[in-house]
């Protein structure tokens, strides 16, 4: 028995499209965009998830904590997939350069530049949302810290794939965002707050991986880790669980960084 054919022209698809169009005004736009973003996440279609969350953010209302999470997941994965591809292609490019194959080297370089363009486009989109809407519109310290961390992260991602003046400019912007977020976190959030710890974690990674400054990376990571250790028992269960996950990452980084420094000496 032949299975029914599914595609843009099939009767069932036409019916579904007609129903969606008829009911499009039944669900408020923001709620619809957030639902579609969740659906895209389940389907692992992160570019589309990012577009739906962008539309939700641009509706004008301040995002809830859950919506901030969806926004972060969307762009982190959309950019993260391309960053992983960039790393792979860079390795192939280096192999072809060492092998002296100029033609394959040219293909690899062109492909790497295409991926860099995609990374920068995605990063600049979320950076515009952060700068023009989200940071100024945030009403809580936690939201502001979250957004400043994201701003630092996306400038960091651009810095990693850039050279010369652009790299310098992106590093300055990333550092400024991390420091502004840190000021708010230190003044308004407990040392065990997961957002505060996450900011310190990424700030330290920026110093280690981009600025090539392991001393400041260890200083920032160790201070945040030790401050949290002293207070972790007095924090709430939910906060403690979130904090513990970030602290584990911090401890792993500190162990790796200090071991590398010891080996160099």
């Amino acid at each position: 028995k032949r299975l029914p054919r599914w595609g843009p022209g099939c009767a069932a698809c036409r019916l579904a499209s007609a129903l969606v169009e008829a009911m499009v005004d039944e669900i408020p736009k923001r709620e619809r965009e957030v639902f579609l973003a969740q659906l895209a996440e389940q389907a692992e279609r992160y570019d589309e998830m990012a577009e739906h969350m962008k539309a939700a953010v641009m509706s004008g209302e301040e995002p809830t904590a859950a919506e901030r999470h969806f926004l972060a997941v969307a762009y982190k994965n959309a950019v993260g997939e391309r960053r992983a591809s960039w790393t792979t292609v860079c390795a192939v490019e280096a192999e072809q350069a060492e092998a002296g194959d100029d033609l394959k080297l040219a293909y690899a370089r062109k492909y790497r530049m295409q991926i860099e363009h995609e990374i920068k486009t995605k990063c600049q989109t979320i950076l515009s949302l952060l700068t023009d809407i989200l940071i100024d519109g945030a009403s809580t310290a936690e939201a502001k810290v979250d957004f400043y961390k994201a701003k630092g992260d996306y400038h960091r991602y651009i810095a990693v794939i850039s050279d010369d003046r652009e790299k310098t400019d992106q590093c300055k912007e990333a550092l400024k965002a991390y420091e502004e977020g840190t000021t708010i976190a230190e003044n308004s959030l407990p040392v065990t707050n997961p957002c505060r710890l996450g900011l310190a974690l990424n700030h330290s990674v920026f110093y280690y991986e981009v600025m090539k400054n392991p001393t400041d990376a260890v200083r920032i990571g160790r201070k945040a880790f030790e401050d949290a250790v002293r207070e972790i028992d007095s924090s709430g269960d939910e906060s403690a669980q979130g904090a513990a996950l970030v602290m584990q990452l911090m401890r792993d980084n500190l162990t790796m960084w200090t071991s590398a420094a010891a080996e160099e000496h």
Side-chain angles (χ1 to χ4, degrees), residues 145-161:
V145 169
D146 214 9
F147 291 144
Y148 273 119
K149 177 176 76 71
K151 185 176 180 180
D153 290 345
Y154 289 104
H155 279 298
R156 170 163 61 94
Y157 299 153
I158 298 176
V160 167
I161 62 174

Side-chain angles (χ1 to χ4, degrees), residues 39-97:
L39 187 60
E41 180 186 13
Q42 293 175 42
E44 297 185 356
R45 296 171 68 90
Y46 296 107
D47 283 358
E48 292 167 12
M49 183 183 185
E51 286 300 313
H52 287 303
M53 286 312 303
K54 175 185 174 182
V57 165
M58 293 181 70
S59 71
E61 297 176 30
E62 181 180 358
T64 64
E67 289 167 353
R68 293 204 315 268
H69 170 73
F70 296 143
L71 182 70
V73 168
Y75 279 94
K76 181 179 180 180
N77 281 282
V79 174
E81 290 172 347
R82 290 169 171 83
R83 293 182 72 215
S85 300
W86 180 84
T87 300
T88 300
V89 173
C90 283
V92 173
E93 185 179 355
E95 289 172 2
Q96 298 307 320

Side-chain angles (χ1 to χ4, degrees), residues 118-138:
E118 292 177 9
I119 291 173
K120 290 178 181 179
T121 299
K122 291 291 180 185
C123 288
Q124 287 162 355
T125 299
I126 182 62
L127 284 168
S128 293
L129 292 175
L130 289 163
T131 302
D132 298 340
I133 300 174
L134 294 169
I135 292 175
D136 288 343

Side-chain angles (χ1 to χ4, degrees), residues 142 145-146 149 181-182 185-186 189-205 220-229 231-232 235 239-251 253:
E142 187 167 276
V145 169
D146 214 9
K149 177 176 76 71
T182 298
E186 290 179 346
L189 299 178
V191 294
T192 55
N193 179 274
C195 287
R196 176 172 173 170
L197 286 168
L199 171 62
L201 172 67
N202 290 17
H203 192 183
S204 65
V205 169
I220 292 169
R222 179 172 289 155
K223 182 181 185 304
F225 181 81
E226 292 178 350
D227 287 348
V229 166
E231 301 291 334
I232 191 70
S235 61
S239 177
Q241 184 177 6
L245 294 173
V246 184
M247 290 168 69
Q248 181 62 56
L249 295 174
M250 280 183 166
R251 183 165 60 182
N253 283 349

Side-chain angles (χ1 to χ4, degrees), residues 9 16 28 34 47 104 106 138 156 178 228 238 245 259:
V34 172
D47 283 358
K104 290 181 179 177
R156 170 163 61 94
Y178 287 135
E238 185 175 346
L245 294 173
S259 297

